[in-house]
Amino acid sequence: MGNAIGPDVSFYQDKPDTPERIDFVKMQKSADFVIIRAGQNLWPDRDIKRNWPAAKAAGLPRGSYWFYDSRADPKRQAELWIETMGGDLGELPLFADFEDAYDGPFKGWRRWYDFLERLKQLVGQKEIAIYTAFYYWRDNAPNATTDPQNLEYFHQYPLWIANYGVTTPSVPKPWSANEWLFWQFTEVGDGELYGVESKGIDLNYFNGDVEAFRERFNLSEPPPTSGDKYRVELSIREGPGEDEDVIGTLEQDEVLEVLDTNTDESWMQVEREDGTTGWIFNTHLIKIEPPPPPPPGDRWYRVTATTLNVRSGPGTNFEDIGDLHRDEVVKALDYAVNNTWIKILRSSDGLTGWSSADFLVETTEPDDDGGQPGNGGPPGSDVEWYRVTASALNVRQEPNTSATIVGSLPFNSVVKALEKNDDGTWIKIIRVSDNLTGWCFASFLELTDPDGGEPPPVSEPKNWYQVKAFTLNVRSGPSASDEKVGTLSQGQIVIRLEANEDGSWVRIQRFDGLVGWCAVSYLTDLGTTAPEKLTQKIFNGVTYFRQEMQSPRKMVAHVLSIDMRVSGLKSLVTPPSHESGLVCTRTTSKFLEEFGLQVAVNGDGFSYLDQNTYPPGQVCPNGGEPVDVNSYAASRGTVYSQRWAGRPILYINKNNEASFNQPSGAIFNAISGDRMLVEKGKRIENLESQALEPRTAAGLNQNGRWLFLVVIDGRQAGYSLGATLPETADFLVSLGAYTALNLDGGGSSALVVEGALGGPFVLNSPIEGNLPGNERQLANHLGFWVNK
């Protein structure tokens, strides 16, 4: 019997201008496995989100590979790879692809070591393998003669070797001649045979036959017997043969009962739950035990995945209606598909739907009084519950704005009070759905009275108002004699939180956190629907603009438009933390607070430094980790990074003259991005157009007077899904940008201002670690002092 065989595929096998995709069902007829490209650099493969589940649905054992790119930080690449896989790492190893020739700052085997070690930290016991070619490895890995000890480190990883036009592959040290796991033996396989649109395709042998392959990866299954039940992963036919008509498509994880088999037991006649019957090839099924009855009584489960989809029905083909996050606790309502799907209820907001049981682990049953374990008793005279009145409210480790953010509460969340600080300005809360515990500013919490011991249902804001007076005082209570706590300007838009008894005063909240009472006679009622666009002047020369977009998908954009000629404006790029130019990481909020700024946005990407050489506790005694900024950077006249020449740069001189790529006068502040988005008022052509991510960008109008700082939120279903690079460029052009560059995005995206209460106020919804409201610690930022 010959070797097990399978292709490796990526977006290159799918033509972007045609509706067809890779046909994994067709591929399965000729392949024993498939290896799928997950990404490269800091870019997930544009088709991975479709290819990965589609290959699984076709019954193909899957491995993923990541093209290591020396232009990006190794640890960040490893982290993005695992984030991209979404908790499903496949049946075959993770393949680290080492063939990079970009000559970036992270080239060389020492950086491969960083990449692999970070990967091991992230995936535990999951097998990791190496893909390479003989001569590339010989010339770039540790030398077999002069450095055998370091070379031997890589021996722990199985080898996937590329070698074309030979009968036996050449294998580099430290592996022996036949010590290869997979062999990529051609790049001109028959693409059509394997269901792809490209004429040629890479093909690979496993070092053994199909039986050995299935045994190596624990895929072997015993032959079927009458009465066994199986989980289906393919099509159903009228009779036992490939020439028989397909009479239906079977859903992934559908459970069937075997009625009969053909003479060689290669085909089985099966019955579906609706009573229909048909034939299916037996290697496309996974034998399972008969479904046990659903567990009796109430059951509670904790989420183990970083993000877990909640769907309208029990299967991946059903609509995604929401998301759960790691360590959230939900109640089980029902079970389906052999108990592999659980219908859940999240008590904090009533979210109900189906989630995969693979990412739910049963946890301690709630106390008899209905509270979560360790949360105390039910609401009553001695227990206070609060509702969040801010659009998003940070939860911090300690009762002050400089403390670490441990989570975020969305508008209308209901939480239980645990304690208060001495003056009552901060409340320690717990969210019962996931035990999130920390301190929140009391001004954004209002006392509520849950009915029957449960938090009340989520309700929409009652009304939006626009200020019609030239200025309008905001007071601590509903009368003109109460203390003034702030001022609103004509045209500003606010949310009504509540009204006094006769409706003459309303308690409002402004976008920057200002909360208080206003006379309703000076407000125009805009109704209950939030405005799609919100424009408000927040400082002298600084205007905030927020826009919600529904097409081509839900996106929320935040813009600060800064007049670079306004009196008193001063700029700052994060200064270096050490004379060598390294920087200690801090969040954008921390940067704004530490330097007393009024405006701040995240900056360039960065790479972690070796912690043995640069111990964080010694190099960064005030917190953070030692990192290098990716590209050119200058702060107040000091140039501290000149890495990665050729990347675009935003310069701002002492006179606040801003320019891209060519400084005007002496260099003062400078910050870099990874690419230009707009030039001469037009979007740059051929921008990568598939990845949906949170985005950060900076643009200038044609005469350089107006600087636009833009953040588009992403990775948050139901709120904002993210934007492509072309969409970000088009949005900048719509604002009036003549030139613009792309800054670090994803979990780094953060736009922060000095809020009404004096501390940092985050305008957008950061998503570091897939936790809404959580900021990433970064290398550098761009900020401004403004005359208030």
Side-chain angles (χ1 to χ4, degrees):
M1 185 180 293
N3 295 76
I5 190 172
D8 58 271
V9 299
S10 70
F11 75 92
Y12 293 111
Q13 276 66 57
D14 171 38
K15 296 179 180 178
D17 55 350
T18 65
E20 291 79 17
R21 299 293 184 93
I22 295 177
D23 186 345
F24 287 99
V25 173
K26 183 176 182 180
M27 180 184 292
Q28 195 276 341
K29 296 175 183 179
S30 302
D32 301 302
F33 60 88
V34 63
I35 303 175
I36 300 173
R37 182 179 184 265
Q40 171 186 348
N41 195 294
L42 299 179
W43 317 311
D45 187 281
R46 73 183 186 204
D47 285 350
I48 182 63
K49 294 298 184 183
R50 189 265 173 193
N51 287 343
W52 196 243
K56 181 178 182 179
L60 279 164
R62 305 155 302 154
S64 71
Y65 74 92
W66 191 274
F67 185 105
Y68 176 84
D69 190 321
S70 62
R71 296 170 295 179
D73 178 76
K75 295 179 182 178
R76 297 280 301 276
Q77 292 189 68
E79 291 162 359
L80 182 58
W81 184 359
I82 304 309
E83 287 178 14
T84 299
M85 304 317 294
D88 179 5
L89 300 182
E91 298 72 40
L92 307 184
L94 300 166
F95 296 95
D97 181 350
F98 296 128
E99 53 179 317
D100 162 82
Y102 290 108
D103 199 32
F106 305 103
K107 67 179 180 180
W109 64 264
R110 289 179 175 82
R111 294 301 194 171
W112 302 348
Y113 172 89
D114 295 340
F115 178 71
L116 292 167
E117 286 297 303
R118 181 60 178 142
L119 203 57
K120 287 197 294 187
Q121 292 173 357
L122 295 169
V123 302
Q125 298 302 310
K126 177 66 179 178
E127 187 172 27
I128 302 168
I130 287 175
Y131 169 91
T132 193
F134 179 86
Y135 291 106
Y136 180 87
W137 186 265
R138 184 196 66 180
D139 296 342
N140 292 278
N143 186 278
T145 302
T146 61
D147 198 4
Q149 185 173 358
N150 280 320
L151 181 63
E152 182 60 25
Y153 162 82
F154 295 97
H155 203 178
Q156 63 185 290
Y157 304 103
L159 177 66
W160 174 18
I161 188 69
N163 197 185
Y164 307 146
V166 295
T167 57
T168 302
S170 297
V171 177
K173 297 294 183 183
W175 301 277
S176 58
N178 195 44
E179 197 181 0
W180 53 271
L181 186 64
F182 289 91
W183 168 24
Q184 188 183 78
F185 65 90
T186 183
E187 59 182 343
V188 291
D190 187 344
E192 182 178 357
L193 177 66
Y194 288 92
V196 302
E197 293 187 281
S198 61
K199 291 183 179 180
I201 190 173
D202 295 340
L203 291 179
N204 306 272
Y205 285 137
F206 169 74
N207 197 355
D209 59 18
V210 173
E211 183 176 353
F213 168 77
R214 299 189 69 82
E215 182 177 357
R216 170 64 170 77
F217 299 109
N218 297 314
L219 301 171
S220 299
E221 294 294 336
T225 58
S226 179
D228 286 343
K229 290 184 180 292
Y230 287 78
R231 183 179 301 135
V232 64
E233 294 179 339
L234 266 185
S235 302
I236 189 168
R237 298 178 180 271
E238 282 189 347
E242 293 286 349
D243 56 340
E244 298 287 342
D245 291 337
V246 175
I247 59 175
T249 300
L250 298 167
E251 301 293 345
Q252 181 181 343
D253 291 338
E254 186 173 350
V255 177
L256 309 171
E257 184 170 353
V258 175
L259 302 178
D260 198 4
T261 63
N262 64 347
T263 54
D264 64 1
E265 296 186 334
S266 60
W267 288 80
M268 294 182 297
Q269 187 183 33
V270 295
E271 181 178 1
R272 306 176 77 176
E273 290 185 356
D274 63 4
T276 58
T277 62
W279 291 82
I280 188 162
F281 197 56
N282 68 12
T283 60
H284 300 159
L285 304 176
I286 302 170
K287 184 178 179 181
I288 61 174
E289 296 300 322
D298 289 342
R299 289 292 186 272
W300 293 76
Y301 291 86
R302 186 178 301 279
V303 178
T304 60
T306 303
T307 302
L308 178 59
N309 291 332
V310 180
R311 299 184 179 274
S312 59
T316 55
N317 56 309
F318 289 95
E319 180 186 3
D320 182 357
I321 59 174
D323 291 303
L324 302 174
H325 300 286
R326 187 188 301 278
D327 290 333
E328 281 197 274
V329 176
V330 293
K331 182 179 180 180
L333 302 178
D334 199 0
Y335 300 81
V337 194
N338 192 35
N339 296 342
T340 58
W341 287 82
I342 302 176
K343 189 174 185 180
I344 61 87
L345 167 67
R346 182 167 62 188
S347 61
S348 64
D349 59 3
L351 175 64
T352 303
W354 293 87
S355 292
S356 171
D358 290 341
F359 306 106
L360 294 168
V361 60
E362 191 166 359
T363 189
T364 309
E365 188 173 0
D367 297 336
D368 292 338
D369 55 24
Q372 289 292 322
N375 291 356
S381 59
D382 59 341
V383 176
E384 291 183 338
W385 292 77
Y386 288 86
R387 185 188 300 279
V388 176
T389 61
S391 57
L393 179 59
N394 290 330
V395 182
R396 298 180 181 271
Q397 282 185 347
E398 302 293 338
N400 61 75
T401 56
S402 62
T404 302
I405 295 174
V406 297
S408 180
L409 300 172
F411 175 78
N412 252 340
S413 297
V414 174
V415 294
K416 179 182 174 182
L418 300 179
E419 61 177 299
K420 299 178 182 179
N421 68 343
D422 292 341
D423 61 7
T425 56
W426 289 81
I427 301 175
K428 189 174 186 180
I429 61 88
I430 185 166
R431 181 167 60 187
V432 297
S433 64
D434 59 2
N435 290 334
L436 172 65
T437 304
W439 292 87
C440 295
F441 202 70
S443 295
F444 305 117
L445 295 168
E446 64 177 5
L447 196 64
T448 189
D449 183 20
D451 184 19
E454 292 294 334
V458 175
S459 60
E460 292 299 319
K462 294 178 180 179
N463 281 87
W464 292 78
Y465 287 92
Q466 188 167 31
V467 179
K468 57 185 179 183
F470 185 72
T471 60
L472 178 59
N473 290 330
V474 181
R475 299 188 178 275
S476 61
S479 77
S481 61
D482 284 305
E483 180 186 1
K484 177 182 171 182
V485 295
T487 303
L488 300 176
S489 300
Q490 189 174 40
Q492 290 188 336
I493 296 173
V494 294
I495 301 172
R496 189 193 80 170
L497 302 178
E498 59 177 308
N500 65 346
E501 290 185 3
D502 63 6
S504 61
W505 287 75
V506 289
R507 187 166 176 258
I508 59 88
Q509 178 197 332
R510 193 170 61 186
F511 76 96
D512 62 354
L514 176 63
V515 175
W517 293 85
C518 296
V520 76
S521 57
Y522 300 106
L523 299 170
T524 300
D525 191 340
L526 300 179
T528 58
T529 303
E532 290 186 0
K533 296 182 179 181
L534 185 153
T535 302
Q536 300 198 175
K537 181 179 178 181
I538 56 174
F539 302 118
N540 188 27
V542 180
T543 300
Y544 171 59
F545 173 67
R546 180 184 190 273
Q547 182 171 349
E548 293 191 18
M549 295 163 275
Q550 304 298 326
S551 178
R553 75 197 64 82
K554 195 161 187 178
M555 293 184 287
V556 178
H558 308 265
V559 182
L560 287 177
S561 178
I562 301 174
D563 184 353
M564 299 298 288
R565 299 178 188 173
V566 71
S567 176
L569 183 74
K570 296 180 181 179
S571 66
L572 177 70
V573 168
T574 311
S577 305
H578 192 273
E579 61 183 10
S580 66
L582 69 80
V583 181
C584 296
T585 57
R586 51 171 74 82
T587 65
T588 308
S589 289
K590 181 67 175 176
F591 168 66
L592 180 139
E593 186 175 45
E594 183 177 336
F595 292 96
L597 303 162
Q598 280 69 57
V599 171
V601 68
N602 67 284
D604 195 4
F606 59 93
S607 58
Y608 295 99
L609 295 173
D610 179 66
Q611 295 192 358
N612 292 320
T613 307
Y614 302 94
Q618 298 177 22
V619 179
C620 300
N622 295 321
E625 294 186 74
V627 297
D628 274 337
V629 179
N630 275 354
S631 315
Y632 190 92
S635 178
R636 313 292 284 178
T638 299
V639 177
Y640 63 90
S641 176
Q642 300 188 62
R643 305 168 69 228
W644 291 20
R647 300 181 92 200
I649 305 169
L650 170 62
Y651 295 96
I652 303 176
N653 67 18
K654 277 189 176 181
N655 298 321
N656 292 327
E657 295 172 332
S659 59
F660 286 105
N661 302 323
Q662 186 65 42
S664 176
I667 292 173
F668 190 56
N669 284 312
I671 200 164
S672 299
D674 68 342
R675 71 198 77 193
M676 294 299 293
L677 296 175
V678 178
E679 287 184 342
K680 296 183 179 179
K682 295 182 179 180
R683 179 220 300 170
I684 297 290
E685 294 184 358
N686 300 318
L687 291 170
E688 193 281 321
S689 61
Q690 299 300 313
L692 293 178
E693 295 290 349
R695 303 289 181 185
T696 301
L700 285 169
N701 75 329
Q702 188 167 1
N703 66 10
R705 176 168 183 170
W706 294 97
L707 174 66
F708 307 107
L709 303 179
V710 174
V711 167
I712 301 176
D713 285 325
R715 301 181 187 170
Q716 299 174 63
Y719 165 64
S720 184
L721 296 175
T724 65
L725 290 172
E727 289 165 355
T728 306
D730 289 341
F731 182 70
L732 281 152
V733 171
S734 75
L735 297 174
Y738 189 73
T739 49
L741 60 68
N742 186 61
L743 293 166
D744 195 20
S748 298
S749 291
L751 190 60
V752 183
V753 296
E754 183 184 54
L757 303 174
F761 191 89
V762 184
L763 295 171
N764 71 306
S765 179
I767 193 65
E768 166 64 359
N770 285 323
L771 178 63
N774 191 37
E775 289 184 69
R776 175 179 288 168
Q777 294 202 27
L778 310 169
N780 70 353
H781 322 72
L782 173 62
F784 292 90
W785 290 283
V786 182
N787 280 343
K788 294 187 286 184

